[in-house]
Amino acid sequence: MCSPEIVVLKNVTHYFLHFGFPAVVAFLFYRKDWKRVYLIFLATMLVDLDHLFADPIFDPDRGSIGFHFLHSYYAIAVYFLLLFFKGNLRLIGIGLLLHMLTDFQDFQWWCH
């Protein structure tokens, strides 16, 4: 079990990686069009809709990666393949992979 301070740090890290880090990536690598890119990155969070099919919807002792169908290893392979396209498909792939990395670190690198 995590101490309350660690839980706060874990949650701050999780939400920074979901909302802040994509903004940093968008600004650094797509400066001219960073707002549009950031919105695409945010839209990739719709991948979490697959959580609604789980029972219970949220379980702190369950990792998303490999459990939810849009967080499966097959889905992650498709997200990786999106990197080989140009334009919005590549941006969607980047956003989805950043999301998967965030969910991975959230469960694997912190106490739960």
Side-chain angles (χ1 to χ4, degrees), residues 54-106:
D55 185 29
I57 291 173
F58 174 72
D59 180 355
D61 294 322
R62 178 181 67 214
S64 296
I65 304 300
F67 182 82
H68 302 291
F69 62 91
L70 294 177
H71 291 68
S72 70
Y73 296 106
Y74 296 111
I76 293 170
V78 172
Y79 306 155
F80 179 77
L81 291 176
L82 290 175
L83 299 177
F84 295 96
F85 291 87
K86 292 184 183 209
N88 289 342
L89 286 177
R90 179 177 292 162
L91 296 174
I92 291 167
I94 293 168
L96 289 167
L97 289 173
L98 289 174
H99 185 101
M100 296 303 129
L101 286 170
T102 296
D103 285 0
F104 175 81
Q105 70 79 36
D106 190 55

Side-chain angles (χ1 to χ4, degrees), residues 12-42:
V12 168
T13 301
H14 181 86
Y15 288 107
F16 170 76
L17 290 174
H18 271 323
F19 294 100
F21 188 65
V24 171
V25 171
F27 187 75
L28 288 178
F29 295 101
Y30 301 94
R31 187 163 297 182
K32 195 159 91 173
D33 205 17
W34 76 270
K35 290 178 187 174
R36 182 183 71 82
V37 171
Y38 181 57
L39 288 175
I40 290 171
F41 288 167
L42 289 181

Side-chain angles (χ1 to χ4, degrees), residues 2 5-14 17 102 104-112:
C2 292
E5 296 83 11
I6 296 297
V7 170
V8 169
L9 183 59
K10 175 184 175 183
N11 288 331
V12 168
T13 301
H14 181 86
L17 290 174
T102 296
F104 175 81
Q105 70 79 36
D106 190 55
F107 187 74
Q108 298 296 327
W109 295 350
W110 299 89
C111 52
H112 46 83

